[in-house]
Amino acid sequence: MTRQALAGALADEGRRRVFAAVVLGAADPAEVAERAGLPPREVVTALRRLTDVGLLTDADGAYAVDEARLRDLARTPRPARPAEAPAETVLRTFVRDDVLVGLPAQRGRRRIVLEHIARRSFAPDTAYPERAVNDALRPWCASGGSDHVTLRRYLVDELLLTRDRGVYRRP
């Protein structure tokens, strides 16, 4: 069983109550229903699910916690996550579903976010009137993390967009 399966098995309040009743000594479905304060049908369903995922054992209708299985789960090491590039961490923090949730205060991080927005919003060496730039930047600001005018100013300040007579280009 994975940790996700364990969390899924105990995500439902009814299953948690059934599991707690068994942990506290209730062995048969009627006793579990009484201690958990749940209808017998819901208890039987929860017992079946908890047994299927390996949290409980069923010996001829007498339920018990599979303590050995729980110990094994507690000892199972977490799988190593591959190291992320710092830019990925910054983008995951400040950009969600192509919407800017906040603009980093630190210049290096802000530059990473702005480069991402410029690459995703503007083709290189293409002329954009100011209205088109504003229209391209507004969706990034949908969550209120910033406004399109501030974003446009930062893109120009960081030389990610150039401005000449009201026409913008991504170099």
Side-chain angles (χ1 to χ4, degrees), residues 13-22 26 29-39 42-43:
E13 181 184 348
R15 286 193 298 266
R16 281 194 309 272
R17 289 171 66 179
V18 166
F19 183 73
V22 173
E31 193 177 359
V32 171
E34 181 183 326
R35 287 199 185 175
L38 296 170
E42 187 176 340
V43 168

Side-chain angles (χ1 to χ4, degrees), residues 76-160:
T76 304
R78 294 178 69 181
R81 287 180 24 184
E84 287 186 334
E88 292 175 16
T89 304
V90 170
L91 290 174
R92 192 178 65 246
T93 303
F94 293 100
V95 178
R96 299 217 178 87
D97 299 323
D98 287 338
V99 175
L100 187 64
V101 295
L103 203 53
Q106 188 178 27
R107 184 178 181 267
R109 290 179 179 179
R110 187 172 54 239
R111 173 82 185 193
I112 291 169
V113 171
L114 292 170
E115 286 173 351
H116 175 76
I117 292 171
R119 275 192 315 270
R120 301 286 305 264
S121 301
F122 306 104
D125 295 323
T126 302
Y128 295 96
E130 188 167 310
R131 172 170 269 160
V133 172
N134 290 341
D135 290 344
L137 295 178
R138 272 192 191 97
W140 288 99
C141 303
S143 73
S146 187
D147 64 285
H148 69 281
V149 175
T150 301
L151 202 52
R152 186 184 68 218
R153 187 188 71 225
Y154 274 128
L155 288 167
V156 171
D157 290 348
E158 291 290 336
L159 303 176
L160 296 169

Side-chain angles (χ1 to χ4, degrees), residues 22-89:
V22 173
V23 167
L24 294 173
D28 63 65
E31 193 177 359
V32 171
E34 181 183 326
R35 287 199 185 175
L38 296 170
R41 183 179 184 143
E42 187 176 340
V43 168
V44 170
T45 303
L47 287 169
R48 186 177 330 112
R49 171 81 192 270
L50 293 170
T51 303
D52 288 346
V53 297
L55 287 175
L56 301 180
T57 59
D58 177 13
D60 297 325
Y63 291 90
V65 175
D66 190 345
E67 292 176 17
R69 182 78 182 255
L70 285 176
R71 262 195 287 321
D72 288 343
L73 280 172
R75 290 182 184 140
T76 304
R78 294 178 69 181
R81 287 180 24 184
E84 287 186 334
E88 292 175 16
T89 304

